[in-house]
Amino acid sequence: MTQAPATPKNGRRRHDREILALAVPAFGALVAEPLFVMVDSAVIGHLGTPQLAGLGIAAALLMTAVSVFVFLAYATTAAVARRVGAGDLPAAIRQGMDGIWLALLLGAAVVALAMPTAPWLVGVFGASDTAAPYAITYLRISILGIPAMLVVLAATGVLRGLQDTRTPLYVAIGGFTANAVLSVTLVHSAGLGIAGSAWGTVIAQVGMAAAYLVVVVRGARKHGASLRPDAAGIRAGARAGVPLLVRTLSLRAVLMIATAVAARLGDVDIAAHQIILSLWSLTAFALDAIAIAGQAIIGRYLGADDEKGARDACRRMVEWGIGCGILLGVVIVLARPLFIPLFTSDPSVKDTLLPALLVVAVSQPIAGVVFVLDGVLMGAGDGRYLAWAMLVTLAVFAPVALLVPSLGGGLTALWWAMTLMMTVRLITLWLRARSGRWIVTGAIR
């Protein structure tokens, strides 16, 4: 009996199953990560305002460090997925171990640099005399957890490359639960105050890193992959990460410029901006989950020398990005009477917030395609192009955003500038996707 030939409809269904299987758990893990800070804020908030202010400053510094080194997850995902596609699991896990060793080296360097400079870093953020001691205490303890945080990033990339996003979800849930229990216990029951919250977070992060290492080491032993550090592999991982680091720093610069401009517009505008930015970040989690699926799937197809499969998967994920973007835009518009009162009761903030929020809603389909294509090109290992594209985007966005206050524009104008930024990203990524130059097959790009 002959097998029925594959049809476009069957191909779309296969891609849909792959995307859902990877994206849904990835979304859960992404949402769990910010809950660490939320738990600490809730626990420390009962100690007093200076303690909470100190946490806010220290958390901002720590989150910046994590975002800077997120390339450990991205670069590792692409490299491991290629080797999975090529059918070489030992080499895939070997590549993953190189990423983990790189994470440990970078983590040790960050601890060595940040520990003595903690007071200066807190001072740069303009902490008050009452908040600064708490910020320094929290930061110096939390710095000890940075190597574990970076290992978590790299190991997450390993498992994503192995087409496994469920384990990171389970580890994230376990880490969040442990952090919540430890924070309450150490802060209140043990009476350690803000230091107890920091130690609780460090312990939870070390536990998460240990859980990941157990999984990766077990896989290495099963497939006969070496666990020793390989200098050439670590250097290769670092080289692959540099362009993604440039991309990430450029994106962080965009967000910092937008916040600085909103602050110049006045207290009402910066308050409304922070609310919109929080919502924008939440929608980004949903779209980033598809991008993570894209990194893993595209890397696997290219590693398997399946150019057609990579193109078809890219096309289908773009359709997903557009559909999810439209859905998120509609939800923002329809749900605005429900969630706006959760953030503010100030009529002035509400009036400033609403038109800018509608701009965000309109731009969601653009964001959907941008996130997906970003993930596709990361999965293809096309980091150098992503770096240049983001630098171009920053060069276009910065002067436009900085002109908003001088031209008399308000928060809505600023978010139109943010939409321009996303549109420039869309154009640069779409041109690259259409060119096909990102398609480089084989186990190594």
Side-chain angles (χ1 to χ4, degrees):
M1 183 177 178
T2 59
Q3 186 177 3
T7 65
K9 186 175 181 179
N10 290 335
R12 287 195 299 271
R13 286 177 177 172
R14 184 181 73 254
H15 291 311
D16 289 345
R17 287 194 297 269
E18 287 183 331
I19 295 168
L20 277 172
L22 292 171
V24 173
F27 175 70
L30 288 170
V31 170
E33 291 173 8
L35 293 177
F36 272 79
V37 177
M38 290 179 64
V39 168
D40 287 348
S41 299
V43 174
I44 292 174
H46 292 286
L47 296 177
T49 300
Q51 289 91 331
L52 187 59
L55 170 67
I57 293 167
L61 287 165
L62 292 166
M63 292 303 293
T64 298
V66 173
S67 66
V68 165
F69 292 110
V70 75
F71 71 84
L72 288 166
Y74 295 157
T76 305
T77 298
V80 172
R82 275 184 175 271
R83 286 159 176 77
V84 169
D88 192 349
L89 281 178
I93 297 174
R94 172 68 265 173
Q95 181 70 43
M97 285 304 306
D98 291 337
I100 291 172
W101 280 112
L102 176 61
L104 285 170
L105 291 174
L106 291 173
V110 171
V111 171
L113 290 172
M115 189 67 73
T117 59
W120 177 81
L121 291 169
V122 169
V124 169
F125 270 67
S128 67
D129 292 338
T130 55
Y134 296 110
I136 293 169
T137 296
Y138 189 93
L139 183 60
R140 276 187 163 156
I141 295 171
S142 296
I143 285 170
L144 298 174
I146 284 183
M149 293 167 66
L150 300 191
V151 167
V152 166
L153 286 176
T156 299
V158 175
L159 295 181
R160 287 174 181 172
L162 293 171
Q163 317 296 297
D164 176 10
T165 56
R166 289 183 179 274
T167 300
L169 172 60
Y170 299 147
V171 174
I173 292 172
F176 164 71
T177 303
N179 181 53
V181 173
L182 287 167
S183 291
V184 172
T185 302
L186 296 176
V187 170
H188 297 295
S189 300
L192 296 180
I194 194 170
S197 178
W199 279 117
T201 300
V202 169
I203 294 169
Q205 289 163 348
V206 171
M208 291 173 66
Y212 275 119
L213 289 175
V214 167
V215 174
V216 175
V217 169
R218 185 183 298 159
R221 288 176 174 170
K222 178 180 178 181
H223 296 284
S226 173
L227 298 174
R228 295 178 180 178
D230 177 65
I234 294 172
R235 285 195 300 269
R239 284 195 299 270
V242 169
L244 295 178
L245 175 61
V246 172
R247 167 206 169 271
T248 300
L249 290 175
S250 301
L251 182 56
R252 294 294 300 180
V254 165
L255 297 178
M256 290 175 64
I257 290 170
T259 300
V261 170
R264 290 175 60 188
L265 296 174
D267 290 347
V268 170
D269 292 86
I270 186 62
H273 175 74
Q274 286 303 115
I275 294 171
I276 294 175
L277 199 59
S278 298
L279 180 66
W280 193 71
S281 299
L282 182 61
T283 62
F285 284 139
L287 299 175
D288 203 27
I290 304 174
I292 288 170
Q295 293 172 35
I297 293 170
I298 293 298
R300 192 188 75 233
Y301 275 118
L302 293 177
D305 295 323
D306 189 351
E307 180 179 334
K308 182 180 183 303
R311 287 185 181 276
D312 290 345
C314 175
R315 187 179 303 111
R316 188 55 178 163
M317 280 183 283
V318 168
E319 293 171 356
W320 269 75
I322 295 171
C324 289
I326 293 172
L327 178 61
L328 288 171
V330 171
V331 169
I332 290 172
V333 172
L334 295 181
R336 69 188 189 280
L338 299 176
F339 64 76
I340 290 178
L342 296 176
F343 290 96
T344 181
S345 57
D346 188 330
S348 299
V349 175
K350 289 181 178 180
D351 291 342
T352 303
L353 175 67
L354 186 58
L357 192 62
L358 295 177
V359 174
V360 174
V362 170
S363 67
Q364 286 304 297
I366 297 174
V369 178
V370 167
F371 274 80
V372 165
L373 291 180
D374 206 39
V376 166
L377 296 185
M378 282 185 191
D382 204 8
R384 184 171 296 181
Y385 182 84
L386 288 172
W388 282 110
M390 199 62 227
L391 287 171
V392 170
T393 301
L394 176 60
V396 173
F397 169 77
V400 173
L402 293 173
L403 281 172
V404 168
S406 59
L407 295 178
L411 188 66
T412 302
L414 175 60
W415 275 93
W416 276 120
M418 289 288 284
T419 302
L420 170 65
M421 179 271 295
M422 295 299 289
T423 303
V424 174
R425 291 188 71 191
L426 172 65
I427 292 170
T428 56
L429 297 176
W430 183 262
L431 289 174
R432 186 64 167 182
R434 285 289 301 272
S435 73
R437 293 178 182 175
W438 56 277
I439 300 178
V440 179
T441 59
I444 301 174
R445 181 179 171 85

